[in-house]
Amino acid sequence: MAFKCSMAEVAVNLKSVCDKISYAAAKRAPEYQYYEPRLVAVSKLQSTGSIVSAYEAGQRHFGENYVNELVEKACSPLIVEKCREIQWHFIGTLQRNKVNKVLSIPNLYVIESVNSDKLANTLNNSWPRFRKSDDSKLNVMVQVNTSQEEEKNGCDIAQVSTLVKYVIENCPNLKFMGLMTIGMYGYDVANGPNPDFICLKKCREKVRDELGIDIKDIELSMGMSSDYEHAIELGSTNVRVGTSIFGSRPQKSN
């Protein structure tokens, strides 16, 4: 049974996750050996103290799902003081009326959940007001609903290339980094490779073929606490791990 970890346990858990990532990366096919997978510590509903503990143990990339929580944490005096090189990933559903809130935070690294041309357009139009230099672009990933579940966020599988093309051709302030999926919860890898991960890989190949992008320039953000090792073996470049580092999350208060 999962539990909330002490600050010392966070560091121990983080090392364990990093070791497992390295082991899984060593088992990858040769075509995936050109990069080291990136670990994003998903800190939603966790304390700022837990984030500082992970940061002080060497973690730099952190993911948040809720806009207000991200703003509160990123602007927290404790994190501003102690985590100066932190890199924030926004990985939740982003409503267009909250774009400016997210873009205003210090050390925003990427928006992983772009699911429509309207959202891409809003991000593109808003970013110049927040960027630190005239030529800096906002990193974005296109989220794909690989499991085709109605309650899941993400663009339709058939629309991936169209949305990526829109970002590249119509959003000069954005930098397309890759594709992201959440996928179906609870998949048992004893039944074979996760079909959501296979689907995202096929989407990447389609984007490469239709838009002429080097496949090494299309990241894959897939894999969470229950399946990140499997995701890495299948080619994930970016895994989002929360409970394996921080323990179970507190309940979200309304």
Side-chain angles (χ1 to χ4, degrees):
M1 185 175 176
F3 56 91
K4 185 173 176 61
C5 295
S6 70
M7 292 183 182
E9 287 168 328
V10 167
V12 172
N13 291 347
L14 179 64
K15 184 180 186 308
S16 174
V17 169
C18 289
D19 288 346
K20 289 177 181 178
I21 286 174
S22 295
Y23 183 68
K27 292 163 64 178
R28 293 174 299 178
E31 70 212 70
Y32 301 133
Q33 297 289 343
Y34 65 89
Y35 64 88
E36 290 299 319
R38 181 190 302 108
L39 170 62
V40 179
V42 179
S43 48
K44 70 176 181 180
L45 304 179
Q46 301 293 348
S47 68
T48 53
S50 294
I51 293 171
V52 171
S53 296
Y55 184 92
E56 290 180 342
Q59 181 62 22
R60 292 296 177 266
H61 290 265
F62 290 81
E64 290 285 339
N65 290 63
Y66 307 117
V67 173
N68 291 342
E69 185 180 357
L70 172 58
V71 171
E72 187 178 327
K73 286 176 176 173
C75 299
S76 151
L78 182 67
I79 287 179
V80 169
E81 178 193 353
K82 296 200 174 273
C83 308
R84 297 192 177 182
E85 296 176 359
I86 198 167
Q87 301 287 296
W88 292 109
H89 293 230
F90 187 75
I91 58 178
T93 302
L94 180 56
Q95 296 168 323
R96 283 182 287 152
N97 62 354
K98 293 191 175 180
V99 158
N100 287 348
K101 274 189 168 185
V102 172
L103 298 188
S104 70
I105 69 159
N107 293 6
L108 177 65
Y109 181 74
V110 62
I111 306 288
E112 291 199 23
S113 48
V114 174
N115 64 343
S116 70
D117 53 2
K118 290 179 180 177
L119 177 55
N121 222 32
T122 303
L123 290 166
N124 179 69
N125 292 337
S126 298
W127 182 237
R129 300 203 294 276
F130 299 98
R131 63 186 171 193
K132 301 295 187 289
S133 62
D134 290 342
D135 59 349
S136 72
K137 295 188 176 188
L138 173 67
N139 292 325
V140 298
M141 292 185 180
V142 166
Q143 183 173 353
V144 186
N145 186 356
T146 52
S147 58
Q148 299 181 297
E149 297 171 88
E150 284 186 17
E151 68 275 15
K152 288 273 169 59
N153 194 30
C155 76
D156 189 85
I157 295 165
Q159 298 300 314
V160 176
S161 290
T162 303
L163 181 50
V164 172
K165 184 178 181 183
Y166 183 88
V167 169
I168 292 170
E169 294 185 353
N170 298 285
C171 302
N173 297 315
L174 306 184
K175 179 184 178 183
F176 169 68
M177 269 183 69
L179 307 175
M180 181 268 248
T181 189
I182 292 174
M184 192 176 295
Y185 293 116
Y187 177 77
D188 185 354
V189 295
N191 296 321
N194 187 317
D196 290 308
F197 298 165
I198 298 299
C199 177
L200 199 69
K201 287 175 63 176
K202 288 180 178 175
C203 287
R204 176 166 71 165
E205 290 163 5
K206 192 176 178 192
V207 168
R208 174 199 63 191
D209 295 342
E210 294 184 357
L211 303 182
I213 304 173
D214 187 332
I215 206 158
K216 292 181 179 179
D217 293 328
I218 308 173
E219 290 206 26
L220 293 180
S221 177
M222 60 188 195
M224 297 186 285
S225 282
S226 61
D227 53 19
Y228 66 91
E229 294 163 90
H230 176 60
I232 286 170
E233 288 183 44
L234 290 178
S236 178
T237 67
N238 188 85
V239 291
R240 310 178 306 272
V241 180
T243 53
S244 292
I245 297 170
F246 298 110
S248 60
R249 298 184 186 98
Q251 292 299 309
K252 188 175 191 294
S253 55
N254 294 324

